[in-house]
Amino acid sequence: MDIYTDLCSSFRVPLWVAPLLHAASRLKTDQARRRKVYRLIQRQLIHHKVGCSRTDKPTYVYPAELKQMIRAAFPGEICDYPDPCHDNVFTVTMNDLNRLSSTDLG
């Protein structure tokens, strides 16, 4: 768990993401681990209604720092897809992530 906390600190990503990285580390492939982390982060953002003013289920585009950190944690088989651009896209900022504290997560 300490390695994920250190990784979050080095990329200036909120520390509440570290347990999500740890939870995903139990999966078999790095691709599955990355997908799991993004899904867990999405769940927290939707739970706190981040970007839900226009639609109930937005498509999130994550900040570069978060993407780089997740890729550093699970570096195997990385595919660099372009960010989506349609009506339901919400671009998450580091401020959005920082607003969610670990005590609020559930």
Side-chain angles (χ1 to χ4, degrees), residues 11-14 16-17 20-21 33-48 50-52 57-71 79-86 88-98 100:
F11 281 92
R12 291 179 168 62
V13 171
W16 62 263
V17 178
L20 305 182
L21 291 169
R33 291 176 188 133
R34 284 191 304 273
R35 190 176 12 219
K36 178 73 170 181
V37 172
Y38 285 124
R39 230 179 338 188
L40 292 171
I41 293 170
Q42 177 191 29
R43 183 181 297 166
Q44 294 304 324
L45 292 170
I46 288 176
H47 175 75
H48 290 282
V50 175
C52 293
K57 195 163 185 182
T59 300
Y60 292 115
V61 174
Y62 298 103
E65 300 92 336
L66 180 67
K67 290 179 187 179
Q68 291 169 353
M69 187 217 40
I70 292 172
R71 290 174 179 184
C79 297
D80 197 22
Y81 297 110
D83 291 336
C85 56
H86 52 77
N88 292 340
V89 170
F90 179 80
T91 303
V92 179
T93 64
M94 289 305 289
N95 288 336
D96 294 328
L97 296 176
N98 286 324
L100 304 179

Coordinates of all heavy atoms in Angstrom, one line a residue, residues 11-14 16-17 20-21 33-48 50-52 57-71 79-86 88-98 100:
F11 N 3.0 12.1 -8.0 CA 2.3 12.7 -9.1 C 1.3 13.8 -8.7 O 0.5 14.3 -9.5 CB 1.5 11.6 -9.9 CG 2.4 10.8 -10.8 CD1 3.0 9.6 -10.4 CD2 2.6 11.2 -12.1 CE1 3.8 8.9 -11.2 CE2 3.4 10.5 -13.0 CZ 4.0 9.4 -12.5
R12 N 1.3 14.1 -7.4 CA 0.4 15.1 -6.8 C -1.1 14.7 -7.0 O -2.0 15.6 -7.3 CB 0.7 16.4 -7.3 CG 2.0 17.0 -6.8 CD 2.3 18.4 -7.3 NE 3.3 19.1 -6.7 CZ 4.6 18.7 -6.7 NH1 5.0 17.6 -7.3 NH2 5.6 19.5 -6.2
V13 N -1.4 13.4 -6.9 CA -2.8 12.9 -7.0 C -3.3 12.7 -5.6 O -2.5 12.3 -4.7 CB -2.8 11.6 -7.8 CG1 -4.2 10.9 -7.8 CG2 -2.4 11.8 -9.2
P14 N -4.6 13.0 -5.3 CA -5.1 12.9 -3.9 C -4.8 11.5 -3.4 O -5.0 10.5 -4.1 CB -6.6 13.2 -4.1 CG -6.7 13.9 -5.3 CD -5.6 13.5 -6.2
W16 N -6.6 9.6 -1.6 CA -7.7 8.6 -1.6 C -7.7 7.7 -2.8 O -8.4 6.6 -2.8 CB -9.1 9.3 -1.5 CG -9.4 10.2 -2.6 CD1 -9.3 11.6 -2.7 CD2 -10.1 9.9 -3.8 NE1 -9.8 12.1 -3.9 CE2 -10.2 11.0 -4.6 CE3 -10.5 8.7 -4.4 CZ2 -10.8 11.0 -5.9 CZ3 -11.1 8.7 -5.6 CH2 -11.2 9.8 -6.4
V17 N -6.9 8.0 -3.8 CA -6.7 7.1 -4.9 C -5.9 5.9 -4.6 O -6.0 4.8 -5.2 CB -6.2 7.9 -6.2 CG1 -6.0 7.0 -7.4 CG2 -7.1 9.0 -6.5
L20 N -7.5 2.6 -4.0 CA -8.2 2.1 -5.3 C -7.1 1.4 -6.1 O -7.4 0.3 -6.7 CB -8.8 3.2 -6.1 CG -9.8 4.1 -5.3 CD1 -10.4 5.2 -6.2 CD2 -10.9 3.2 -4.7
L21 N -5.9 1.9 -6.2 CA -4.8 1.3 -6.9 C -4.5 -0.1 -6.2 O -4.3 -1.1 -6.9 CB -3.5 2.1 -6.8 CG -3.6 3.4 -7.7 CD1 -2.4 4.3 -7.3 CD2 -3.6 3.1 -9.1
R33 N -6.2 -4.0 -14.5 CA -6.0 -3.2 -13.3 C -6.3 -1.7 -13.6 O -6.9 -1.1 -12.8 CB -4.5 -3.4 -12.8 CG -4.2 -4.7 -12.3 CD -2.7 -4.8 -11.9 NE -2.4 -6.2 -11.6 CZ -1.4 -6.9 -12.1 NH1 -0.5 -6.3 -12.9 NH2 -1.2 -8.1 -11.7
R34 N -5.8 -1.3 -14.7 CA -6.1 0.1 -15.1 C -7.6 0.4 -15.2 O -8.1 1.4 -14.8 CB -5.3 0.5 -16.4 CG -3.9 0.7 -16.2 CD -3.2 1.4 -17.4 NE -3.5 0.6 -18.6 CZ -2.7 -0.4 -19.1 NH1 -1.6 -0.8 -18.4 NH2 -3.0 -1.1 -20.2
R35 N -8.2 -0.5 -15.9 CA -9.7 -0.4 -16.1 C -10.4 -0.4 -14.8 O -11.4 0.4 -14.6 CB -10.2 -1.6 -17.0 CG -11.6 -1.4 -17.5 CD -12.0 -2.5 -18.4 NE -11.1 -3.6 -18.4 CZ -10.7 -4.3 -19.5 NH1 -11.2 -4.0 -20.7 NH2 -9.9 -5.3 -19.5
K36 N -10.0 -1.2 -13.9 CA -10.6 -1.3 -12.5 C -10.5 0.0 -11.8 O -11.4 0.5 -11.2 CB -10.0 -2.5 -11.7 CG -10.6 -2.6 -10.3 CD -12.0 -3.1 -10.3 CE -12.4 -3.5 -8.9 NZ -13.7 -4.0 -8.9
V37 N -9.2 0.6 -11.8 CA -9.0 1.9 -11.1 C -9.9 3.0 -11.7 O -10.5 3.7 -11.0 CB -7.5 2.3 -11.2 CG1 -7.3 3.7 -10.7 CG2 -6.6 1.3 -10.4
Y38 N -9.9 3.1 -13.0 CA -10.8 4.1 -13.7 C -12.3 3.9 -13.3 O -13.0 4.8 -13.0 CB -10.6 4.1 -15.2 CG -9.3 4.7 -15.7 CD1 -8.5 4.0 -16.5 CD2 -9.0 6.0 -15.3 CE1 -7.3 4.5 -16.9 CE2 -7.8 6.6 -15.8 CZ -7.0 5.8 -16.6 OH -5.8 6.4 -17.0
R39 N -12.7 2.6 -13.2 CA -14.1 2.4 -12.8 C -14.4 2.8 -11.4 O -15.4 3.3 -11.1 CB -14.4 0.9 -13.0 CG -15.6 0.7 -13.8 CD -15.9 -0.8 -14.0 NE -14.7 -1.5 -13.9 CZ -14.5 -2.8 -14.1 NH1 -15.5 -3.5 -14.5 NH2 -13.3 -3.4 -14.0
L40 N -13.4 2.5 -10.5 CA -13.6 2.9 -9.1 C -13.6 4.4 -8.9 O -14.4 4.9 -8.1 CB -12.5 2.2 -8.2 CG -12.5 0.7 -8.1 CD1 -11.3 0.2 -7.4 CD2 -13.8 0.3 -7.4
I41 N -12.7 5.1 -9.7 CA -12.7 6.5 -9.6 C -14.0 7.1 -10.2 O -14.6 8.0 -9.6 CB -11.5 7.1 -10.4 CG1 -10.2 6.7 -9.6 CG2 -11.6 8.6 -10.5 CD1 -9.0 7.0 -10.4
Q42 N -14.5 6.5 -11.3 CA -15.8 6.9 -11.9 C -16.9 6.7 -10.9 O -17.8 7.6 -10.8 CB -16.0 6.1 -13.1 CG -17.4 6.4 -13.8 CD -17.8 5.5 -14.9 OE1 -17.4 4.3 -14.8 NE2 -18.6 5.9 -15.8
R43 N -16.9 5.6 -10.2 CA -18.0 5.4 -9.2 C -18.0 6.5 -8.1 O -19.0 7.0 -7.7 CB -17.7 4.0 -8.5 CG -18.8 3.7 -7.6 CD -18.6 2.4 -6.9 NE -18.6 1.3 -7.9 CZ -18.2 0.1 -7.6 NH1 -17.7 -0.2 -6.4 NH2 -18.2 -0.9 -8.6
Q44 N -16.8 6.9 -7.7 CA -16.7 8.0 -6.7 C -17.2 9.3 -7.2 O -17.9 10.1 -6.6 CB -15.3 8.1 -6.1 CG -14.8 6.9 -5.3 CD -15.8 6.6 -4.2 OE1 -16.4 7.4 -3.5 NE2 -15.9 5.3 -3.9
L45 N -16.8 9.6 -8.4 CA -17.2 10.9 -9.1 C -18.7 10.9 -9.3 O -19.4 11.9 -9.0 CB -16.5 11.1 -10.4 CG -15.0 11.3 -10.3 CD1 -14.3 11.2 -11.7 CD2 -14.7 12.6 -9.6
I46 N -19.3 9.8 -9.7 CA -20.7 9.8 -9.9 C -21.5 9.9 -8.6 O -22.5 10.5 -8.4 CB -21.2 8.5 -10.7 CG1 -20.7 8.7 -12.2 CG2 -22.7 8.3 -10.7 CD1 -21.0 7.5 -13.1
H47 N -20.9 9.2 -7.6 CA -21.6 9.2 -6.2 C -21.6 10.6 -5.7 O -22.6 11.0 -5.0 CB -20.8 8.3 -5.3 CG -21.2 8.3 -3.9 ND1 -22.4 7.7 -3.5 CD2 -20.7 8.9 -2.8 CE1 -22.6 7.9 -2.2 NE2 -21.6 8.7 -1.7
H48 N -20.6 11.4 -6.0 CA -20.5 12.8 -5.5 C -21.1 13.8 -6.5 O -20.9 15.0 -6.4 CB -19.1 13.2 -5.1 CG -18.7 12.4 -3.9 ND1 -19.0 12.8 -2.6 CD2 -17.9 11.3 -3.7 CE1 -18.5 12.0 -1.7 NE2 -17.8 11.1 -2.4
V50 N -20.2 14.7 -9.5 CA -19.2 15.5 -10.2 C -19.6 15.4 -11.7 O -19.6 14.3 -12.3 CB -17.8 15.1 -10.0 CG1 -16.8 15.8 -10.8 CG2 -17.5 15.2 -8.5
G51 N -19.9 16.5 -12.3 CA -20.2 16.5 -13.8 C -21.6 16.0 -14.1 O -21.9 15.7 -15.3
C52 N -22.5 15.8 -13.2 CA -23.8 15.2 -13.4 C -24.9 16.3 -13.6 O -26.0 16.0 -13.6 CB -24.2 14.3 -12.3 SG -23.1 12.8 -12.2
K57 N -25.1 10.2 -16.3 CA -24.0 9.4 -16.4 C -23.0 10.0 -17.4 O -23.0 9.6 -18.6 CB -24.3 7.9 -16.8 CG -23.2 7.0 -16.6 CD -23.7 5.6 -16.5 CE -22.6 4.6 -16.2 NZ -23.0 3.3 -16.2
P58 N -22.1 10.9 -17.0 CA -21.2 11.5 -17.9 C -20.0 10.6 -18.3 O -19.8 9.6 -17.6 CB -20.7 12.7 -17.1 CG -20.8 12.3 -15.7 CD -22.0 11.4 -15.6
T59 N -19.4 10.9 -19.4 CA -18.2 10.2 -19.8 C -17.0 11.1 -19.3 O -17.0 12.3 -19.6 CB -18.1 10.1 -21.3 OG1 -19.2 9.3 -21.8 CG2 -16.8 9.4 -21.7
Y60 N -16.2 10.5 -18.4 CA -15.2 11.3 -17.8 C -13.9 11.3 -18.6 O -13.5 10.2 -19.1 CB -14.9 10.9 -16.4 CG -16.0 11.1 -15.4 CD1 -16.7 10.1 -14.8 CD2 -16.4 12.4 -15.1 CE1 -17.7 10.3 -13.9 CE2 -17.4 12.7 -14.2 CZ -18.1 11.6 -13.6 OH -19.1 11.8 -12.8
V61 N -13.2 12.4 -18.7 CA -11.9 12.6 -19.3 C -11.0 13.0 -18.1 O -11.2 14.0 -17.5 CB -11.8 13.6 -20.4 CG1 -10.3 13.8 -20.9 CG2 -12.6 13.1 -21.6
Y62 N -10.0 12.1 -17.7 CA -9.3 12.4 -16.5 C -8.0 13.2 -16.8 O -7.5 13.3 -17.9 CB -8.8 11.0 -16.0 CG -10.0 10.2 -15.5 CD1 -10.4 9.1 -16.3 CD2 -10.7 10.5 -14.4 CE1 -11.5 8.4 -16.0 CE2 -11.8 9.7 -14.0 CZ -12.2 8.7 -14.8 OH -13.3 7.9 -14.4
P63 N -7.5 13.9 -15.8 CA -6.4 14.8 -15.9 C -5.1 14.0 -16.3 O -5.0 12.8 -15.9 CB -6.2 15.5 -14.6 CG -7.1 14.8 -13.6 CD -8.1 14.0 -14.4
A64 N -4.2 14.6 -17.0 CA -3.0 13.9 -17.4 C -2.2 13.4 -16.3 O -1.6 12.3 -16.4 CB -2.1 14.9 -18.2
E65 N -2.1 14.1 -15.1 CA -1.4 13.6 -14.0 C -1.9 12.2 -13.5 O -1.2 11.3 -13.1 CB -1.5 14.6 -12.8 CG -0.9 15.9 -13.1 CD -1.9 16.9 -13.6 OE1 -2.9 16.5 -14.2 OE2 -1.6 18.1 -13.5
L66 N -3.3 12.1 -13.5 CA -3.9 10.9 -13.0 C -3.6 9.7 -14.0 O -3.2 8.6 -13.6 CB -5.4 11.0 -12.8 CG -6.2 9.8 -12.4 CD1 -5.8 9.4 -10.9 CD2 -7.6 10.0 -12.5
K67 N -3.7 10.0 -15.3 CA -3.4 9.0 -16.3 C -2.0 8.5 -16.2 O -1.7 7.3 -16.3 CB -3.7 9.6 -17.7 CG -5.1 9.8 -18.0 CD -5.2 10.4 -19.4 CE -6.6 10.8 -19.8 NZ -6.7 11.4 -21.1
Q68 N -1.1 9.5 -16.1 CA 0.4 9.1 -16.0 C 0.6 8.3 -14.8 O 1.4 7.3 -14.8 CB 1.2 10.4 -16.0 CG 1.2 11.1 -17.3 CD 1.8 12.5 -17.2 OE1 2.2 13.0 -16.1 NE2 2.0 13.2 -18.3
M69 N 0.0 8.6 -13.6 CA 0.2 7.8 -12.4 C -0.3 6.4 -12.6 O 0.4 5.5 -12.2 CB -0.5 8.5 -11.2 CG -0.1 7.9 -9.9 SD -1.4 7.8 -8.7 CE -2.9 7.4 -9.5
I70 N -1.5 6.2 -13.1 CA -2.0 4.9 -13.3 C -1.2 4.1 -14.3 O -0.9 2.9 -14.1 CB -3.5 5.0 -13.8 CG1 -4.4 5.6 -12.6 CG2 -4.0 3.6 -14.2 CD1 -5.8 5.9 -13.0
R71 N -0.7 4.7 -15.3 CA 0.2 4.1 -16.3 C 1.5 3.7 -15.6 O 2.1 2.7 -16.0 CB 0.4 4.9 -17.5 CG -0.9 5.0 -18.3 CD -0.7 6.0 -19.5 NE -1.9 6.0 -20.3 CZ -2.0 6.7 -21.4 NH1 -1.0 7.4 -21.9 NH2 -3.2 6.7 -22.0
C79 N -2.4 1.3 -24.3 CA -2.9 1.8 -25.6 C -3.3 3.2 -25.4 O -4.1 3.5 -24.4 CB -4.2 1.0 -26.1 SG -3.8 -0.7 -26.4
D80 N -2.9 4.1 -26.2 CA -3.2 5.6 -26.0 C -4.3 6.0 -26.9 O -4.1 6.4 -28.1 CB -1.9 6.4 -26.3 CG -2.0 7.8 -25.7 OD1 -2.8 8.0 -24.8 OD2 -1.3 8.7 -26.2
Y81 N -5.5 5.8 -26.4 CA -6.7 6.2 -27.2 C -6.9 7.7 -27.1 O -6.7 8.3 -26.0 CB -7.9 5.5 -26.7 CG -7.8 4.0 -26.8 CD1 -7.7 3.2 -25.7 CD2 -7.9 3.4 -28.1 CE1 -7.6 1.8 -25.9 CE2 -7.8 2.0 -28.2 CZ -7.7 1.2 -27.1 OH -7.6 -0.1 -27.3
P82 N -7.5 8.3 -28.1 CA -7.8 9.8 -28.0 C -9.0 10.0 -27.0 O -9.8 9.1 -26.8 CB -8.2 10.2 -29.4 CG -8.6 8.9 -30.1 CD -7.8 7.8 -29.4
D83 N -9.0 11.1 -26.4 CA -10.1 11.4 -25.5 C -11.4 11.6 -26.3 O -11.4 12.1 -27.4 CB -9.9 12.8 -24.7 CG -8.7 12.6 -23.7 OD1 -8.5 11.5 -23.3 OD2 -8.1 13.6 -23.4
P84 N -12.5 11.1 -25.7 CA -13.8 11.2 -26.4 C -14.2 12.7 -26.5 O -13.8 13.5 -25.7 CB -14.8 10.4 -25.6 CG -14.2 10.4 -24.2 CD -12.7 10.5 -24.4
C85 N -15.1 13.0 -27.5 CA -15.6 14.4 -27.6 C -17.0 14.3 -28.1 O -17.3 14.3 -29.3 CB -14.7 15.2 -28.6 SG -14.5 14.5 -30.2
H86 N -17.9 14.2 -27.2 CA -19.4 14.2 -27.5 C -20.1 15.0 -26.4 O -19.5 15.5 -25.5 CB -19.9 12.8 -27.7 CG -19.6 11.8 -26.5 ND1 -20.3 11.8 -25.3 CD2 -18.7 10.8 -26.4 CE1 -19.8 10.9 -24.5 NE2 -18.8 10.3 -25.2
N88 N -21.8 14.2 -23.7 CA -21.8 13.7 -22.3 C -20.4 13.8 -21.7 O -20.3 13.3 -20.6 CB -22.4 12.3 -22.2 CG -23.9 12.3 -22.5 OD1 -24.5 13.3 -22.5 ND2 -24.4 11.1 -22.9
V89 N -19.4 14.3 -22.4 CA -18.1 14.3 -21.9 C -17.9 15.4 -20.8 O -18.4 16.5 -21.0 CB -17.0 14.6 -23.0 CG1 -15.7 14.8 -22.4 CG2 -17.0 13.4 -23.9
F90 N -17.3 15.0 -19.7 CA -17.0 16.0 -18.6 C -15.5 15.8 -18.3 O -15.0 14.7 -18.0 CB -17.8 15.7 -17.3 CG -17.4 16.6 -16.2 CD1 -18.0 17.9 -16.2 CD2 -16.6 16.3 -15.2 CE1 -17.7 18.8 -15.2 CE2 -16.2 17.1 -14.2 CZ -16.8 18.4 -14.2
T91 N -14.7 16.9 -18.5 CA -13.3 16.9 -18.2 C -13.1 17.1 -16.7 O -13.4 18.1 -16.2 CB -12.6 18.0 -19.0 OG1 -12.9 17.7 -20.4 CG2 -11.1 17.9 -18.8
V92 N -12.5 16.1 -16.1 CA -12.2 16.1 -14.6 C -10.9 16.9 -14.4 O -10.0 16.6 -15.2 CB -12.1 14.7 -14.1 CG1 -11.8 14.7 -12.6 CG2 -13.4 13.9 -14.3
T93 N -10.9 17.8 -13.5 CA -9.7 18.5 -13.1 C -9.1 17.9 -11.8 O -9.8 17.2 -11.1 CB -10.0 20.0 -13.0 OG1 -10.8 20.2 -11.8 CG2 -10.6 20.6 -14.2
M94 N -7.9 18.3 -11.5 CA -7.3 17.9 -10.3 C -8.1 18.5 -9.1 O -8.2 17.9 -8.0 CB -5.8 18.3 -10.2 CG -4.9 17.5 -11.1 SD -5.1 15.7 -10.9 CE -4.2 15.5 -9.3
N95 N -8.6 19.7 -9.3 CA -9.5 20.3 -8.2 C -10.7 19.5 -7.9 O -11.1 19.4 -6.8 CB -9.9 21.7 -8.6 CG -8.8 22.7 -8.6 OD1 -7.8 22.5 -7.9 ND2 -8.9 23.8 -9.3
D96 N -11.3 18.9 -9.0 CA -12.4 18.0 -8.8 C -12.0 16.8 -7.9 O -12.8 16.4 -7.0 CB -13.0 17.5 -10.1 CG -13.6 18.6 -10.9 OD1 -14.2 19.6 -10.4 OD2 -13.5 18.5 -12.2
L97 N -10.9 16.2 -8.2 CA -10.4 15.1 -7.4 C -10.0 15.5 -6.0 O -10.3 14.7 -5.1 CB -9.2 14.5 -8.1 CG -9.4 13.9 -9.5 CD1 -8.1 13.4 -10.1 CD2 -10.4 12.7 -9.5
N98 N -9.4 16.7 -5.9 CA -9.0 17.1 -4.5 C -10.2 17.4 -3.6 O -10.1 17.3 -2.4 CB -8.1 18.3 -4.6 CG -6.7 17.9 -5.1 OD1 -6.2 16.9 -4.8 ND2 -6.1 18.8 -5.9
L100 N -12.8 15.7 -3.3 CA -13.3 14.5 -2.6 C -12.3 14.0 -1.6 O -11.2 13.7 -1.9 CB -13.5 13.4 -3.7 CG -14.3 13.6 -4.9 CD1 -14.3 12.5 -5.8 CD2 -15.7 14.0 -4.5

